Amino acid sequence: MAKKSVKDLDLKGKKVLVRADFNVPMKDGEITNDNRIEAALPTLEYIIEQGGKVIVFSHLGRIKTEEDKEENSLRPVSVRLSELLGKDVTFIPETRGEELESAIDELDEGDVLMFENTRFEDLEGKKESGNDPELGKYWASLGDVFVNDAFGTAHRAHASNVGIASNIESAVGFLVQKEIDFIGGAVDNPERPFVAILGGAKVSDKIGVIENLLKVADKVIIGGGMAYTFYKALGREIGTSLLEEDKVDLAKELMEKAGDKLILPVDTVVAPEFDNDSPSQVVEGNIPADEMGLDIGPKSVELFKKELEGAKTVVWNGPMGVFEMENFAKGTEAISKLLANLEDATTIVGGGDSATAVQQLGYEDDFSHISTGGGASLEYLEGKELPGIAAISDK
Ligand code: AMP
């Protein structure tokens, strides 16, 4: 069932609660990257234009002690948001109580208020991240309608998303809508051929994703550290490469089930040490006993290129090698470039390291969608229902 979008809500004169994702990186009380604040602007500006009274909130970091509170106040975020919106943002340094309630009562149409980090409520027994029903009900009582625009926490049931949505009319904002359209679209109803590319360190982190994508995609390409557990399952020597011994049988099973749908690298960049300056070489087949695989080789890039020809939908999650080291980043860079130049295809990058790689290389505008949520996009690709979206009112 489709979920309501912010465009389906009557916003004029309404107190609109907005769960944003302002979990920005901070250093010494300064925001070091404000992409997430900028990304929230379209939804907030739309509500302002429609005459809604915006009450926006978010979590920031983890709160385990009183000191964590000082470092993780949303106040600097409210200042930056005010600059970006070009209008005042009233900041209330509380997550509940009279000061917050009376400030909300005083809001006019188009005004914006931000309240303090929702995770401050976790100091008293995980009320926010434990989805305490009373807290969700209380926050819901502060508004007339609720808009969830935080995809990064959509895979968790918290008081600030599921708790509120369970009590009042709710909708998704433009950011979450885009994730539903692209990731949800790829998983539920992809234009074919649909090719998935999975990489990263561990098979165990991505079992659910591999299994689900083997069901829904036409091809599943596996690179990165994960590939060596599959190599092992084929009886190959993998030297000192990453191995998850307890996943070798599973890898075997997956390959038997998948047949030629599952594609592995055909060559590997190896080196004796996990070090950028370690002397590397490209090998095909077995990896020498004292070497480890740190990237896919050029023949694998060619093979993957062929498999991608004519693809109409591509989902990519996880680097092809240790891309943090320049000498082992070539495979990941090549895949970024291949996808950026793919014509007539919907190209989607799951959050996390592959999204970072695409952004670092400056290809972000050449992709159809780069997910803003690492964990959430993985669970979405696993075919799981995300509680933060499921709780939103049906259209
Ligand atoms: P993930 O979070 O599972 O997507 O994994 C990302 C991490 O996998 C990155 O930090 C990469 O450096 C690492 N990685 C990718 N390929 C390899 C490899 N061949 N050996 C060791 N680590 C790898």
Side-chain angles (χ1 to χ4, degrees):
M1 175 76 82
K3 295 297 175 185
K4 278 193 183 174
S5 133
V6 60
K7 288 205 160 172
D8 297 316
L9 297 177
D10 175 14
L11 298 166
K12 183 146 179 70
K14 298 280 170 64
K15 289 180 276 185
V16 187
L17 297 162
V18 184
R19 173 54 160 107
D21 181 359
F22 291 148
N23 189 30
V24 291
M26 307 270 290
K27 197 158 191 257
D28 304 326
E30 300 276 336
I31 299 161
T32 54
N33 180 326
D34 64 2
N35 283 352
R36 287 188 165 160
I37 309 176
E38 258 190 64
L41 296 179
T43 297
L44 297 176
E45 282 168 346
Y46 175 78
I47 298 168
I48 294 165
E49 277 163 24
Q50 297 294 310
K53 304 169 180 178
V54 176
I55 303 144
V56 63
F57 47 95
S58 172
H59 81 283
L60 176 60
R62 280 193 190 169
I63 308 297
K64 291 198 172 129
T65 62
E66 281 293 330
E67 293 82 73
D68 290 340
K69 280 177 146 184
E70 271 166 46
E71 284 167 26
N72 290 291
S73 169
L74 276 181
R75 190 185 288 279
V77 174
S78 72
V79 173
R80 185 72 192 115
L81 179 65
S82 169
E83 286 164 6
L84 289 169
L85 282 172
K87 65 185 293 154
D88 286 345
V89 172
T90 305
F91 181 72
I92 304 295
E94 304 289 342
T95 49
R96 57 168 98 193
E98 222 171 281
E99 186 188 353
L100 174 61
E101 291 158 27
S102 51
I104 290 174
D105 282 340
E106 282 166 25
L107 290 175
D108 283 325
E109 290 182 8
D111 283 352
V112 181
L113 175 150
M114 184 185 292
F115 68 76
E116 189 53 285
N117 185 350
T118 55
R119 294 267 166 93
F120 282 18
E121 292 283 349
D122 276 357
L123 262 191
E124 294 164 40
K126 298 243 169 222
K127 287 203 165 69
E128 149 73 327
S129 56
N131 191 13
D132 177 81
E134 289 308 312
L135 182 58
K137 206 167 165 182
Y138 170 72
W139 278 335
S141 76
L142 300 175
D144 300 310
V145 288
F146 172 56
V147 175
N148 186 2
D149 212 16
F151 183 69
T153 48
H155 59 315
R156 302 277 179 252
H158 291 168
S160 66
N161 58 5
V162 171
I164 302 176
S166 310
N167 285 285
I168 51 173
E169 185 186 13
S170 57
V172 294
F174 296 130
L175 283 177
V176 173
Q177 186 66 56
K178 193 166 176 249
E179 302 278 359
I180 295 175
D181 292 346
F182 282 96
I183 304 189
V187 173
D188 295 335
N189 189 20
E191 204 185 334
R192 296 183 184 279
F194 171 21
V195 181
I197 307 174
L198 298 174
K202 289 185 176 168
V203 181
S204 50
D205 289 343
K206 294 187 186 163
I207 295 170
V209 179
I210 302 171
E211 284 178 336
N212 191 45
L213 290 178
L214 279 173
K215 275 187 232 148
V216 300
D218 299 296
K219 295 269 159 154
V220 176
I221 293 172
I222 295 202
M226 293 201 306
Y228 311 117
T229 298
F230 286 86
Y231 269 15
K232 190 80 183 174
L234 287 169
R236 295 204 195 147
E237 297 301 329
I238 61 164
T240 55
S241 306
L242 269 188
L243 169 67
E244 283 173 281
E245 196 79 61
D246 60 336
K247 294 290 174 286
V248 173
D249 286 343
L250 176 83
K252 215 179 267 175
E253 249 173 67
L254 288 171
M255 285 189 291
E256 275 162 17
K257 251 196 262 169
D260 60 4
K261 212 182 223 199
L262 194 143
I263 293 145
L264 291 171
V266 288
D267 58 352
T268 311
V269 180
V270 301
E273 308 283 343
F274 191 82
D275 182 339
N276 189 48
D277 299 323
S278 191
S280 65
Q281 56 167 325
V282 178
V283 299
E284 289 176 41
N286 287 336
I287 296 174
D290 52 355
E291 306 254 1
M292 61 178 80
L294 295 170
D295 196 7
I296 57 171
K299 286 195 177 160
S300 304
V301 173
E302 279 310 306
L303 171 70
F304 296 175
K305 184 178 175 185
K306 245 187 225 129
E307 297 294 345
L308 284 163
E309 268 167 25
K312 289 282 176 229
T313 308
V314 183
V315 168
W316 176 28
N317 185 295
M320 297 289 101
V322 187
F323 79 109
E324 297 91 336
M325 298 184 199
E326 200 189 336
N327 289 334
F328 307 109
K330 292 192 186 76
T332 302
E333 286 171 12
I335 295 299
S336 303
K337 195 170 170 191
L338 267 180
L339 297 187
N341 291 314
L342 214 57
E343 281 176 16
D344 300 326
T346 300
T347 46
I348 301 160
V349 184
D353 282 326
S354 23
T356 310
V358 166
Q359 280 153 354
Q360 275 172 5
L361 292 164
Y363 288 127
E364 52 202 304
D365 294 337
D366 300 310
F367 282 76
S368 312
H369 180 61
I370 298 178
S371 178
T372 54
S377 69
L378 276 183
E379 291 201 17
Y380 214 0
L381 291 172
E382 281 177 39
K384 284 190 187 161
E385 184 177 75
L386 304 186
I389 294 175
I392 298 297
S393 308
D394 292 326
K395 213 165 182 152

